[in-house]
Structure formats: C-alpha cells, structure tokens
Amino acid sequence: MDLDYTTSELMAVAGARELKDGEVVAVGLGLPVVASFLAKRTHAPHMTILFELGVIDPQPVEPGVGLADPRVWYRANVLSSFVDILGSVLHHGRVDVGFLGGLETDRFGNLNTTLVGDPRGKFRHMIGSGGANDIASCARRTIIIMRQEERKLRESISFITSPGYLSGGSRRAEAGLRGGPSKVITDKAIFGFHPETRELMILSVHPGVTLDEVRSTMGFAPLVPDPVTATEPPTAEQLRLIREEIDPERMYMG
Amino acid sequence: MDLDYTTSELMAVAGARELKDGEVVAVGLGLPVVASFLAKRTHAPHMTILFELGVIDPQPVEPGVGLADPRVWYRANVLSSFVDILGSVLHHGRVDVGFLGGLETDRFGNLNTTLVGDPRGKFRHMIGSGGANDIASCARRTIIIMRQEERKLRESISFITSPGYLSGGSRRAEAGLRGGPSKVITDKAIFGFHPETRELMILSVHPGVTLDEVRSTMGFAPLVPDPVTATEPPTAEQLRLIREEIDPERMYMG
Amino acid sequence: MGKLVTLAEAVASIPSGSHLALSGFAITRCTMAFAREVIRQGIRGLTVSQCVGAMDADLLVGAGAVERLIYGGGSLDRFGRLACVNRGIEGGSLHAEEYSSLSIAFRYLAGALGLPFMPIRSLVGSDLLRQLQERSGADVASIKDPFTGESWLALRPLSPDVAVVQVQVSDEDGNAWIRGPRWDNAEQVRASQRTIVITERVVPGDVIRQDAEQTVIPGLFVSHVVKLPFGAHPASVYRVYDYDAAEIKRYVEATRTPEALQAYLVETVHGVPDHAAYLEKIGGQARLSELMADPGLGY
Amino acid sequence: MGKLVTLAEAVASIPSGSHLALSGFAITRCTMAFAREVIRQGIRGLTVSQCVGAMDADLLVGAGAVERLIYGGGSLDRFGRLACVNRGIEGGSLHAEEYSSLSIAFRYLAGALGLPFMPIRSLVGSDLLRQLQERSGADVASIKDPFTGESWLALRPLSPDVAVVQVQVSDEDGNAWIRGPRWDNAEQVRASQRTIVITERVVPGDVIRQDAEQTVIPGLFVSHVVKLPFGAHPASVYRVYDYDAAEIKRYVEATRTPEALQAYLVETVHGVPDHAAYLEKIGGQARLSELMADPGLGY
C-alpha cells in the first residue's frame, strides 16, 4: 500500500474522524459520501447515513453521478421521501451531523450555493439549496468540506443559502436556529469556531502545508492557536478502504 | 327471487340510491358497506370507497366483523394510513359523501356515539368517534343510517360526537364547518333537512309504514310534507346482489 | 448494540408512568403479548395513546396499568365495546382524553415532523372539543391563519416515550415492514422517542434491502426488537394469522365485571410465566394452526 | 370515464398558465416526453414546482414555456447545473422563487392535507427567506405557537393544478406504484387538483390489488394515464432503465447558449411528431437496449 495520499484522501479521512458510532448523518454527495462510508466501515458501524430524497443506509457497489443516481440507493434499508428524511428525522431533531459541501463560506460558516459574483461584476446563479439549508438549520452540528481558495473563504459572501453563525456570537441561537457548523475541512487545514465569537479558527494544518499557505489562501484572517498542530494523516487501512472499496474508480476523490 | 324485502334491505337500497357515480364515499361498517357496494355494482361503478384506517376500493369476498377485519380489506387498490385517507382525501375536501351510523341523533342531525343515558340516570360510555367526527366535519355531505326509536331520535342528545347542523339555521357554517347531513335513513322513513332552518323533515315513508308510526317512534315532531310520498322499493336485481353477492351470510343485514 | 431481546427485557426498559403509543386497531395488530408482560412486571401509571382504541389498550386499562388514555374512541368491532376503558371512564378511575381518529393522527404527525402544533377542521362544534377545552393545560388552542386571517383549531403534538408496534417482518436492527393498512403506526413511530418492534418473523437485513420501499419503520427509530410469533393473539396479524374469535368472545365475557376480569388475568397473565406458556394455555399448536392465514386471502 | 389516453391528449388537457408539479429529481423520473409534448403544443405561461429542480423543468424553461418556477434549487448532478433555469434567473426572464427541499415538501404536504399553512424551522436567517419576504404577496409569514408563545416561520400551502408523475407501473385507473425513493411525488399528487400519470407499464388492476401497500398514487387523484415506455429519457427510471449519459451530455452542451438550445429543440422536439419518433431519432431500439436496467441492480 502506497502511504502517500492525496489531499482529497486526507480530507475524506478527516471528515470520517468527525463522525461517531451511532450517530445519524445527513450526507450530500462527493467527499461527504466517502467520509461517511469510511467511518461506517471503520469506527462507526452503527452510524446511520441519510440521503435527503428518501434513502437510508445504502450499500453501493458502484459510485454514482449524484443523489439522483440509483447506484447510490443500492441496497438501502429504507426508500421513502423528503418528508420522511428531512421531516421526521432532520426537522424532528434527530440528525446529529449534517455534512455539506459549499461554493463559498465566510468567517462564521455561512454557506453560499446560490449566487456567486463573476469577474464581469455580474452574479451567476448556481445550484441553490436542495436540502442544504434544511440541514444547516436543523442538524445538531454541521461539517463543511470544501477546497480552500481566497475566492471561496471570503470575508463576506454574496448570499447566505445555508446559515452558519450568521454575524457571529449568539446571533444564530437568537434567530431560533439550533446547532451550527462545528468544523470546516479544507485541503489545507481543519478549522473550528471560537466558542463565543463563533469566528473561524485553525485547529490543525495538514502535513506539508505551512501556516502561511493556509492564511494566504483565505480572504480573511482566521484565529490561530499557538502552537499549531498537524492534522493526523490517514492510516493504511483507511487508504485501502477508500481506494479499493469505496471509490475504486476515483469518482468522488477527483 | 323473493320480492318481499326486509327493512334492512330497503335501508341499504335507499342508501345506495343516494350515491352518484364518480363520487368519493367514506364508509363506516354495517349497512353503509352494503349500500356502498350495492351502488358500486349497479349505477355507480366509478365510485371510490374509503375506509378510514387506510383502505381504498376493496373487493371483499366474505363479510368481516368490522374495519379491523382483513376480510374487509381484501383486494383493495390502496393500503395506506389514517393520514392518507382522513388527511389527504377527507380533510383536503375530496370526500363527497360520508356514510355514518349513529346511536342517537337530534332534530338537526347531530350524532352521539359517546355517552348515552341509562335507565338509572347514569351515563354509559359507548364507542366515541373514530373517524365519525372527522367525516361529519369535513365531508361535502353526510348520510346517516340508523334504526328509528323514540330513544334514538331525540329532541336533545346528551353529547355531540359528530356535528350536524348544531342548533340549526346557519350555525354549522358559522362554526367553520363545511357540508352537513343531507339524509337520515331509518327503518321507517327517509328524512332530509329544511334548507333554511335545517330541521329534520320527512321526505318519504317506507311502503307499509304509516305517517303516525313514523311520528310515534321519534322524540320530536319532524316537518311533514303534504302529500307524503312512499319510499321506492328495492328492485329484484338489487335484492339479488345483496342476498347472493354482497351479504350472503346476512352478516351486515342482521 | 444488539437490539434483539426477549419480550421481558424489552418491557423492563419501560419505567412506570411512561407514555406508550400502541399499534393496535380494534382487534388487529394489537400488542397483546406485550400488554400481558407489562401487567406481569407490574408497570403502572401509564399514559396510552392510539388513534382507535384497541384490545391492547383495553386489557392494560382493565389491569389497572393505565392512568391516562389519549384516543379517538374505539371498540372490539362486532365483538363488543372496550369494556374496561368504558368502566374506567364511567367510574372516574381512568383519565380519558377523547378525540377523533384524524385528530390523534395529526397530533402524532406534528410530533413526527417536529411541528409546534397542527391545525385541523375536525372537532369544531362538538362536545369532544368542549371536553378537551375544559381540561386544565388543554392540548387544543385556537390560531389565526396568517395568510387569510381565518380562525383554526390547533392541536398540540403528541410525543410518546415509546411506540410499541406489532409487525409482520423485521430485521435485527428493527427495519420493519407492515403489510396491510398501517393506520397510525408510521406516525406513532416517528413521533415517539423510541420504538419497540414486536415481530412475527426476523429476516436477514438482506431481505429488507431487496424491497426497501416496504420499510415502514426505519431501524434508526428502534431501540428493541422482540421476535414473538403470535404476539398479537387473540388479535389478528394480516397475512400471518386470523383473529381468534372464540378467545375474543371469552375476553368480552371476562370484561363484563371486575371480578370476572380478575379471574381472566390470573388465568392468562399472572398464572403463566411468559408468552410461550400463554400460547400453550389457550390451546397450543393445535389451536394456533387453525388461525394461520390463507396465503392467498391473507387472513 | 376511460383515463388511458395518448400523451398528446393528456397534454391537451392543460391550459396555458397552469401550475404543474413535476416528478423529476435532477436526472431521474423526469417527465421528459411530457415536457417535449408541452413545448410541441405551444403551452406557455406555466408555473412549475418541484422540490429539487430537474431536467424536465429546465427543458420547459429553456423552451420559454415557464413563467414562474417554485423550487428548492437543483442541478443535473455531476452532468452540470440547470443552465436554462440559471440563465432565466440571471436575465430576469424567469420568475424563480427559491426555497429548500424541505420547505417545498412541507408546502406540498400542507396542500395535500388541507392545512392552512405549515410551520418550519428551515429558511430562518438565510437570504432565501429575505428574497421570499421581499416578494409582494409573500408565501411566508410568521406565526406564534399558541402553546409555547414561540415564533415560527409559516409557509403557504402549494396547490398545483396538475401533478405530472413519471412512474414505473400503473393500472388503467391510475393506481400507480413508484419503485425507489419517492422524494416529493406522493405529496405533489395529493396537493394537486388532479394528476397525470406517465407510466412505463400498464398492468391489470388485479396486479395492483395483490400488493396494494405499494400504491403510492391512488387512482382517485388521477385524471389521465399515459402508457409511454422510455417516457423519462434521457433521465432514468429506477428498475426500468438507466440515464443516458451521452444524451444528457449533449443536452448540457446544447444548453450552453440560446442558439444551441434552439437547434436542439428543433432536432428533438419540434422536428419529431411524437415520442416514438423521438426515440427513433436518438438511436432507436439499439440505443435503448443498452440502457435497460439490470434486474438485480435495478439500474
């Protein structure tokens, strides 16, 4: 087994480590799928995986192009509906972790997947919410996974599709929302949020990445601990599972 | 075919005549079942029959002891739930006719199936509502079928389980309820309701029954038309269907 | 994390005073063996809810295990009324809150979906509503539609501690199928904190996964799975066995007086250690064989 | 009272300006043949709703048939975004009302159950809500829980004129099964005034009656049944056929510019008289055979 790993693999493993056994996890497609299946096959066998359109705990044998692909529903325990998954599980308050990707996020973990500025100063409409707003509003905590670039981690985003801590502090709770983002996992670092101000803060920097690289690929200055620790690398078994069983065609891992 | 008929048979046939082709009918057990299946097999083949617990258009081959009996669900088109039948069909406003039995009714078609007085001056608790209150509240019209006795057609009933016209006139509409009872079919006569006062009024008296017999088996004086017409008797084909196909064991017909 | 336990273990997880949503409807899919074990273990002070009152609730009330009943009326179909429930209401020993089928179903649905309340057109103008309004801390209120200004009745959600659901088929994680109509069971499970599944058959998870559209109860709601053939006897389980008419008639006779009921409870509950002994008592395999459902008809 | 009609007849029952709820989710069970016939018949000014915007809605928007889109965001999964929808929003020609998946599902559910409104925790604090509130005659309002005094967001029910649902199996009365997850389809049907079922197979009613727990769409909601194999092409129908990746990629290319789209519409819609001719055009039986689902895997 080649113990070198890609940043995607590191991100998936970092995501998996956030999930505890027995938890109920609402999953969007891409890296969150790999992270969730990896957790379920290692330390969290009793975790429940939900896809918003009405799928619980599938056992895919091939990767799919998205949630609409029956490959992703294969051998599910339950095939039901939005009202069942997003209503009686998520809105009821039973989802421990929401796992979201994003196009843009800001200092307080607010996510934009709706309108992004283009170089000509116009806005481009992207994909909107789907279940992301519901998950960000109702899950006990959310984990955001995204590539880190200055235009993606911005001081201020143009549209809040899925609320994080809004303008920080206690604003989210005051708006009547439970939960909130707990982690942002990028290809450079893992971030948390300050327990009071709710500002983004570095928790660990990935092996081989410098603190400067982290800072220079963001549109704002994050809180920085001293000393800065390094993200734990993937184990051989985690890499084997990703490469041989979960995403052998490297469809999710890019 | 014996063209003599029982009053139960006459009641079932009178009930069937109230149902039009294409209507959606919410049915309680007993005579309403016979009336509905009779209508469906004669003039109303496109009628939809609903049982509250989640059954649409069954084709029983044996009578059952109640809605809980799988005999009554046999060969249904849909097996679902209270929320589906009473929610998305009835509460939505899609039920044309609710077909109800009752222990007691009054001048305004209010029904009691909850608390009835006993000879010792105490109250006895009966069966309560089930779906009857929902049907009486939400169907476009309701038809009541019951035996006629002075203690059953009362000036005032002790408990309104399922609302008719409440205290008459426009009180029902003022309470925010649509529909209301259209007919009361007893073993003596068929009654309607005065279009303004909503008082019970005789529409027809069954063959062989005198007007005095109708009046003397009620606890109040109904409106009486002049002249009084006679209820149309069952046809040979209607009797054959009831006796040979719908209730050969005379389980519903007593 | 094994969920597959004995009936006694599952019942032992229920503290006295709990709110149970029971899956019975009149005389079908009633949680009868469960109710007998609750009585045997001396659990009391229960709140019981169901859309249509059934034999399981009536037996628990008769044995004195129930303090409060939240239901939409009920009966044993043609076999008779809920004699224990009725006697409890008439004598004042049972605190009964009476609704209609849909209003209980909507209260469960609100609980299931995490809604703060549920608007409804039913109950209006009835004495059912008057009685509910007269209760202190009423679970009904009025609310104005913010879009039209129209007044509506609003119901408080129901959130039982435990749903107890008798099903035909489950896997070891509690992913369960219900054949036939499901009445309020799907909403009971989703409204409750947790669910105990009592199942006629336990199948491998692979079987559930082949036909997952049928999974009415997702395992994530389920804390315990009890494999218990004839767990609903003398009630029926569609496609597995018919109701036992003779035994239901005996129950109806036994519930005519408190004395007769005590004798019945001694014979069928206290006098037998468990469900297997109960089945022997009521006639064993010879009797049960006669109840087996015809695979074509389903009853 | 025969409900079984041709696609052209079913589409002809829809007046311009109607509100349609469409059954597609991204690239699966999309009402593609239906959308092509709507365009062919020149029906315009439609309101279209669905929880997650799909290829059917995008094609109708691209052809200029849609005035208003009520949806929760959407894409063609990995194949791309909803280019026609996005261009319509960016250019201002499409009036889009954007929600989340659950908020649309709850609006359908309220419409289905005859509720005056639906409380929800989602949308709060987001710019989705801000945009919706800025609309005149907003479909969102705030309401106070009468039991706790807590403030909630309330959504107005959705009541489409017609639900159009692509299913696997139906009988002639429209009693239909949906295999796989059902996303918002059951609620769409129940919220709508009537439903058009587009089905891959028509089976005798006796088949439906043998497994009536599977009937997601009761016939009483259905006005028309259209038997139309490959009606969702190039989207997939679980257990019947897979998505046609090459054809979806061609669609994605064609929707990059309005000019390319016009050429695509001429070729696949206006230039073919009906669905059968469309299927010949895209490659006929040879191509369709390759898409047939593996009976074990279901795709």
Side-chain angles (χ1 to χ4, degrees):
Chain A
M1 174 64 57
D2 180 3
L3 275 180
D4 278 356
Y5 50 85
T6 66
T7 47
S8 292
E9 286 168 343
L10 180 66
M11 290 166 79
V13 167
R17 286 207 189 93
E18 295 294 323
L19 307 175
K20 302 187 188 75
D21 198 20
E23 288 194 318
V24 176
V25 185
V27 180
L29 213 76
L31 279 178
V33 168
V34 179
S36 302
F37 284 122
L38 180 60
K40 183 140 182 148
R41 289 184 187 216
T42 53
H43 62 279
H46 302 100
M47 204 177 72
T48 300
I49 294 175
L50 308 174
F51 295 140
E52 61 173 86
L53 74 169
V55 177
I56 302 183
D57 270 341
Q59 296 180 336
V61 290
E62 298 174 63
V65 296
L67 293 187
D69 192 333
R71 285 159 187 77
V72 184
W73 317 335
Y74 187 62
R75 284 177 48 83
N77 270 328
V78 181
L79 293 169
S80 61
S81 67
F82 281 121
V83 167
D84 199 36
I85 303 297
L86 295 183
S88 62
V89 187
L90 176 69
H91 197 259
H92 183 109
R94 287 180 165 113
V95 168
D96 297 295
V97 190
F99 224 136
L100 299 174
L103 298 174
E104 290 185 347
T105 189
D106 64 14
R107 184 188 296 279
F108 300 111
N110 300 298
L111 275 175
N112 176 16
T113 47
T114 301
L115 289 174
V116 300
D118 79 355
R120 294 163 299 173
K122 296 194 173 174
F123 283 100
R124 291 181 63 207
H125 191 274
M126 308 306 280
I127 60 169
S129 163
N133 172 279
D134 305 307
I135 291 169
S137 301
C138 302
R140 294 201 184 122
R141 68 182 193 276
T142 51
I143 298 167
I144 299 166
I145 290 204
M146 59 191 294
R147 302 259 148 203
Q148 181 168 338
E149 300 170 26
E150 195 174 334
R151 63 184 182 91
K152 291 187 159 197
L153 268 71
R154 301 169 76 91
E155 176 66 37
S156 110
I157 58 176
S158 42
F159 193 98
I160 300 182
T161 310
S162 304
Y165 292 106
L166 299 174
S167 55
S170 56
R171 291 299 167 79
R172 181 185 168 94
E174 285 158 23
L177 293 167
R178 48 193 165 194
S182 65
K183 298 283 164 64
V184 176
I185 298 171
T186 75
D187 50 334
K188 303 276 189 291
I190 300 176
F191 301 84
F193 292 87
H194 186 278
E196 275 160 32
T197 66
R198 301 305 194 179
E199 285 171 283
L200 204 68
M201 59 183 191
I202 295 174
L203 294 182
S204 69
V205 171
H206 297 342
V209 178
T210 67
L211 186 56
D212 273 354
E213 281 178 78
V214 176
R215 282 171 162 152
S216 66
T217 49
M218 300 176 63
F220 57 90
L223 301 180
V224 181
D226 180 25
V228 172
T229 59
T231 306
E232 189 181 340
T235 67
E237 174 64 5
Q238 286 169 327
L239 291 175
R240 189 193 66 77
L241 282 167
I242 291 173
R243 293 172 189 173
E244 294 178 11
E245 297 190 13
I246 298 171
D247 191 23
E249 299 175 37
R250 306 190 75 68
M251 190 136 174
Y252 300 133
M253 303 302 295
Chain B
M1 173 65 59
D2 182 1
L3 276 181
D4 277 357
Y5 50 86
T6 66
T7 48
S8 291
E9 286 168 342
L10 180 65
M11 289 166 80
V13 167
R17 286 206 189 92
E18 295 295 323
L19 307 175
K20 301 186 188 74
D21 199 19
E23 288 194 317
V24 176
V25 185
V27 180
L29 213 76
L31 279 178
V33 168
V34 180
S36 302
F37 284 122
L38 181 60
K40 183 141 182 147
R41 289 186 186 215
T42 53
H43 62 281
H46 302 100
M47 204 177 72
T48 300
I49 294 175
L50 308 173
F51 295 140
E52 62 174 84
L53 74 167
V55 177
I56 302 182
D57 270 339
Q59 297 180 335
V61 291
E62 296 175 63
V65 297
L67 294 187
D69 191 333
R71 285 160 186 78
V72 184
W73 316 335
Y74 186 63
R75 284 175 49 83
N77 270 328
V78 181
L79 293 169
S80 60
S81 67
F82 280 122
V83 167
D84 199 36
I85 303 296
L86 295 182
S88 63
V89 187
L90 177 69
H91 198 259
H92 183 109
R94 287 183 166 111
V95 168
D96 297 294
V97 190
F99 224 135
L100 299 174
L103 298 173
E104 290 184 349
T105 189
D106 64 14
R107 184 187 296 276
F108 300 110
N110 300 298
L111 276 174
N112 176 16
T113 47
T114 301
L115 289 173
V116 300
D118 80 353
R120 294 163 299 173
K122 295 195 175 173
F123 282 99
R124 291 181 62 207
H125 191 274
M126 309 305 280
I127 59 168
S129 163
N133 172 278
D134 305 306
I135 291 170
S137 301
C138 302
R140 295 204 182 117
R141 67 183 195 275
T142 51
I143 299 167
I144 299 166
I145 290 203
M146 59 190 293
R147 302 258 147 206
Q148 181 168 339
E149 298 171 26
E150 195 174 335
R151 64 182 180 91
K152 291 188 157 198
L153 268 72
R154 300 170 75 93
E155 176 67 36
S156 108
I157 57 177
S158 41
F159 193 98
I160 299 181
T161 310
S162 304
Y165 293 106
L166 300 175
S167 56
S170 57
R171 292 299 167 79
R172 179 183 170 94
E174 284 158 24
L177 293 167
R178 49 193 166 195
S182 64
K183 297 284 163 63
V184 177
I185 298 170
T186 76
D187 50 335
K188 303 277 189 292
I190 299 175
F191 301 85
F193 293 87
H194 186 278
E196 273 159 32
T197 66
R198 302 303 193 177
E199 286 171 282
L200 205 68
M201 61 183 190
I202 295 174
L203 293 182
S204 69
V205 172
H206 296 343
V209 178
T210 67
L211 187 57
D212 273 356
E213 279 178 81
V214 176
R215 282 170 161 149
S216 67
T217 49
M218 300 176 63
F220 57 90
L223 301 180
V224 182
D226 180 24
V228 172
T229 59
T231 306
E232 189 181 339
T235 66
E237 174 63 5
Q238 286 169 327
L239 290 174
R240 188 193 66 77
L241 282 167
I242 292 174
R243 292 171 190 172
E244 294 177 11
E245 298 189 13
I246 299 171
D247 191 22
E249 298 174 38
R250 306 190 74 68
M251 191 136 172
Y252 299 133
M253 304 303 295
Chain C
M1 298 265 292
K3 296 179 182 177
L4 199 61
V5 297
T6 65
L7 178 62
E9 288 166 334
V11 169
S13 76
I14 297 170
S16 282
S18 296
H19 175 177
L20 307 183
L22 302 183
S23 69
F25 176 97
I27 54 164
T28 184
R29 283 201 298 97
C30 300
T31 58
M32 296 307 296
F34 169 85
R36 289 185 288 262
E37 182 63 20
V38 164
I39 297 165
R40 227 174 260 130
Q41 292 195 17
I43 296 165
R44 298 176 73 87
L46 296 172
T47 293
V48 167
S49 64
Q50 52 191 189
C51 273
V52 166
M55 196 173 181
D56 42 11
D58 196 62
L59 179 67
L60 284 170
V61 169
V66 181
E67 197 172 288
R68 188 174 169 210
L69 178 66
I70 303 169
Y71 81 135
S75 75
L76 303 179
D77 274 352
R78 289 253 165 149
F79 292 105
R81 295 200 296 272
L82 302 178
C84 302
V85 168
N86 287 345
R87 193 155 45 235
I89 292 173
E90 291 159 8
S93 61
L94 176 68
H95 179 81
E97 297 165 33
E98 287 200 69
Y99 292 80
S100 62
S101 296
L102 181 62
S103 44
I104 297 284
F106 269 9
R107 292 194 66 189
Y108 284 133
L109 184 62
L113 298 179
L115 304 176
F117 57 87
M118 191 68 138
I120 192 167
R121 282 188 192 280
S122 302
L123 300 179
V124 171
S126 74
D127 287 323
L128 294 168
L129 179 59
R130 187 183 46 71
Q131 277 191 339
L132 292 167
Q133 286 169 330
E134 285 168 1
R135 285 188 58 237
S136 62
D139 293 327
V140 292
S142 63
I143 193 158
K144 192 168 276 192
D145 175 354
F147 298 108
T148 66
E150 202 186 347
S151 275
W152 279 75
L153 190 68
L155 303 174
R156 198 192 289 266
L158 273 176
S159 302
D161 297 304
V162 190
V164 187
V165 184
Q166 172 79 43
V167 305
Q168 286 92 348
V169 174
S170 172
D171 69 14
E172 292 193 1
D173 277 331
N175 294 291
W177 293 345
I178 292 178
R179 305 302 309 266
R182 301 175 284 277
W183 40 97
D184 51 358
N185 293 176
E187 291 79 19
Q188 287 179 316
V189 165
R190 286 157 179 79
S192 298
Q193 296 296 310
R194 64 184 177 96
T195 292
I196 295 174
V197 164
I198 318 270
T199 185
E200 295 290 330
R201 300 277 185 285
V202 172
V203 296
D206 284 354
V207 174
I208 299 287
R209 291 179 190 276
Q210 281 168 18
D211 220 356
E213 292 92 343
Q214 282 201 64
T215 311
V216 175
I217 306 180
L220 74 97
F221 298 109
V222 177
S223 64
H224 299 81
V225 178
V226 179
K227 179 183 168 181
L228 203 70
F230 290 97
H233 183 275
S236 68
V237 174
Y238 179 55
R239 291 188 185 259
V240 187
Y241 48 91
D242 203 358
Y243 52 83
D244 185 335
E247 192 62 25
I248 295 178
K249 284 176 187 159
R250 198 159 79 94
Y251 177 80
V252 169
E253 285 307 314
T255 53
R256 286 195 197 284
T257 65
E259 298 71 32
L261 177 62
Q262 281 318 308
Y264 177 84
L265 286 175
V266 166
E267 189 189 340
T268 60
V269 181
H270 299 297
V272 287
D274 58 19
H275 183 59
Y278 165 85
L279 293 180
E280 279 308 318
K281 189 85 177 184
I282 57 92
Q285 195 50 49
R287 176 163 208 153
L288 299 178
S289 298
E290 291 182 17
L291 300 176
M292 298 296 284
D294 177 292
L297 293 165
Y299 54 80
Chain D
M1 299 264 294
K3 295 179 182 175
L4 199 60
V5 296
T6 65
L7 177 61
E9 288 167 333
V11 169
S13 75
I14 297 170
S16 282
S18 296
H19 175 177
L20 308 182
L22 301 184
S23 69
F25 176 97
I27 53 163
T28 184
R29 282 204 296 98
C30 300
T31 58
M32 295 308 295
F34 170 84
R36 290 185 288 262
E37 181 63 20
V38 164
I39 298 166
R40 226 174 262 129
Q41 293 195 13
I43 296 165
R44 297 179 72 89
L46 296 172
T47 293
V48 166
S49 63
Q50 54 191 188
C51 273
V52 166
M55 196 173 181
D56 43 11
D58 196 61
L59 179 66
L60 285 170
V61 169
V66 181
E67 196 171 291
R68 189 174 168 209
L69 177 66
I70 303 167
Y71 81 135
S75 75
L76 303 179
D77 274 353
R78 290 252 166 152
F79 292 105
R81 297 200 294 272
L82 302 178
C84 302
V85 168
N86 287 346
R87 193 156 43 235
I89 294 173
E90 291 159 9
S93 61
L94 177 67
H95 180 82
E97 297 166 33
E98 288 202 66
Y99 292 79
S100 63
S101 297
L102 181 63
S103 43
I104 297 284
F106 269 10
R107 291 194 66 190
Y108 284 134
L109 184 61
L113 299 178
L115 304 177
F117 58 87
M118 192 67 139
I120 192 166
R121 282 189 193 279
S122 302
L123 301 180
V124 172
S126 74
D127 287 323
L128 295 168
L129 179 59
R130 187 183 47 72
Q131 278 193 337
L132 293 167
Q133 285 169 331
E134 284 167 2
R135 285 188 58 238
S136 62
D139 293 327
V140 293
S142 65
I143 193 159
K144 194 168 273 193
D145 175 355
F147 298 109
T148 66
E150 202 185 348
S151 274
W152 279 74
L153 190 68
L155 303 174
R156 199 193 287 267
L158 272 177
S159 301
D161 298 304
V162 189
V164 187
V165 185
Q166 173 78 43
V167 306
Q168 286 89 348
V169 175
S170 172
D171 69 15
E172 293 194 359
D173 278 331
N175 294 291
W177 293 346
I178 292 178
R179 305 303 307 268
R182 298 175 287 278
W183 39 99
D184 50 359
N185 293 177
E187 291 78 19
Q188 287 179 317
V189 165
R190 286 155 178 79
S192 298
Q193 295 296 309
R194 64 184 178 95
T195 292
I196 295 174
V197 165
I198 317 272
T199 184
E200 295 291 328
R201 299 279 185 282
V202 172
V203 296
D206 284 356
V207 173
I208 299 288
R209 290 180 191 278
Q210 280 168 18
D211 220 354
E213 292 91 344
Q214 283 202 61
T215 311
V216 175
I217 306 179
L220 74 95
F221 297 109
V222 177
S223 63
H224 300 82
V225 178
V226 179
K227 179 182 167 182
L228 202 69
F230 289 97
H233 183 275
S236 68
V237 174
Y238 180 56
R239 290 186 186 262
V240 186
Y241 49 90
D242 203 358
Y243 52 84
D244 185 335
E247 192 61 25
I248 295 177
K249 284 176 187 161
R250 198 158 79 94
Y251 177 81
V252 170
E253 285 305 314
T255 54
R256 286 197 198 282
T257 66
E259 297 69 34
L261 179 61
Q262 281 318 306
Y264 177 84
L265 287 175
V266 166
E267 187 190 342
T268 61
V269 181
H270 299 298
V272 288
D274 57 20
H275 183 60
Y278 166 86
L279 293 180
E280 279 310 315
K281 188 88 177 182
I282 57 92
Q285 194 51 49
R287 175 160 208 155
L288 299 178
S289 298
E290 290 183 17
L291 300 176
M292 298 296 284
D294 178 291
L297 294 164
Y299 54 80

